[in-house]
Amino acid sequence: MLKIAIMGAMPEEIEPLLEYFKGYRVTNYAKNKYYEIEHKGCSIVVAYSKIGKVNSTLTTTTLIERFGCNKLLFSGVAGAVNSELKIGDLVVASKLAQHDLDISAFGHPYGYVPEGSVFEEADSELIELSKEVAKEKGFELKEGVIATGDQFVCDVVRKEWIAKTFKADALEMEGASVAVTCNALGVPFFILRSISDAADMDASFSFDEFLKSSAKISADFIVSMVERIIDNFK
Ligand code: ADE
């Protein structure tokens, strides 16, 4: 049975989803709320994790292990690293890395720990599907590398370091931990972000201004994808 998890990190990132799907049942678990939805005969669970890698790992694990979700889509906002990306643009992660994971003192590359890997790859079928949906709906998508860390980046030097070290196109605070968790548990996942800022000195102002509108752009695309996934499943 298909059971789709849709995750965000902040309330603003899932609000448009709850508005779209309307009826839901709320379960409180591990200091979080999980919104269970029945849509066209398919089960969907929506949740926001709260910001950061630890919270997003907990929510991802819960969605999979407790709620039995077997596909996970993440919707939210990101800071642009690639200068071609502008406010509201959509970025699909092909692979993700943790930019703040550093045991380089032992000669390891940034983002690497033994028995892990610097990059976690997202599900290629979901990426293909997103391209079809984008084409059909007239959305423009950029596929690229997303760098994740427990840090709101608002500094050009740090941003340039992340760009150079990971060839990153965008950065945020949850994607790579969701990716590690889904890959470890064998669940296909898809990470979509819409740009809210440029991770520079104006980032916090830009983030506050564009969080809602960019989160809605991302959520609207995720809705189209979910509809397509359900149609394909029937
Ligand atoms: N999410 C959106 N913008 C961000 C930034 N500049 N740093 C980290 N996460 C973000």
Side-chain angles (χ1 to χ4, degrees), residues 77-105:
V77 301
V81 175
N82 184 329
S83 60
E84 284 173 18
L85 288 169
K86 304 298 175 209
I87 301 294
D89 284 357
L90 285 168
V91 189
V92 171
S94 53
K95 54 184 186 173
L96 304 100
Q98 298 179 62
H99 68 72
D100 58 350
L101 185 55
D102 178 2
I103 55 165
S104 59

Side-chain angles (χ1 to χ4, degrees), residues 42-110:
C42 177
S43 298
I44 299 171
V45 188
V46 176
Y48 77 89
S49 59
K50 302 186 284 254
I51 293 166
K53 294 195 294 180
V54 172
N55 286 324
S56 56
T57 301
L58 173 61
T59 299
T60 304
T61 308
T62 301
L63 283 163
I64 296 168
E65 292 293 321
R66 187 181 162 98
F67 289 92
C69 294
N70 45 24
K71 251 186 219 313
L72 187 146
L73 311 179
F74 190 105
S75 180
V77 301
V81 175
N82 184 329
S83 60
E84 284 173 18
L85 288 169
K86 304 298 175 209
I87 301 294
D89 284 357
L90 285 168
V91 189
V92 171
S94 53
K95 54 184 186 173
L96 304 100
Q98 298 179 62
H99 68 72
D100 58 350
L101 185 55
D102 178 2
I103 55 165
S104 59
F106 297 91
H108 293 298
Y110 293 107

Side-chain angles (χ1 to χ4, degrees), residues 77-79 151-154 171-173 193 196-199 203 207:
V77 301
Q151 180 180 55
F152 184 82
V153 177
C154 48
L171 55 81
E172 34 82 311
M173 302 178 71
R193 296 281 185 170
S196 58
D197 59 86
F207 181 90

Side-chain angles (χ1 to χ4, degrees), residues 1-7 14-27 33-48 63 67 69 222-223 226-227 230:
M1 201 190 87
L2 178 63
K3 194 159 185 181
I4 305 171
I6 317 178
M7 226 183 117
I14 67 157
E15 264 155 23
L17 299 165
L18 296 180
E19 234 162 73
Y20 177 82
F21 291 114
K22 299 234 156 50
Y24 46 75
R25 189 163 66 100
V26 185
T27 301
K33 283 189 165 56
Y34 292 82
Y35 300 86
E36 293 177 87
I37 294 158
E38 291 301 319
H39 182 69
K40 297 184 179 165
C42 177
S43 298
I44 299 171
V45 188
V46 176
Y48 77 89
L63 283 163
F67 289 92
C69 294
I222 289 289
V223 162
V226 168
E227 294 291 7
I230 293 172

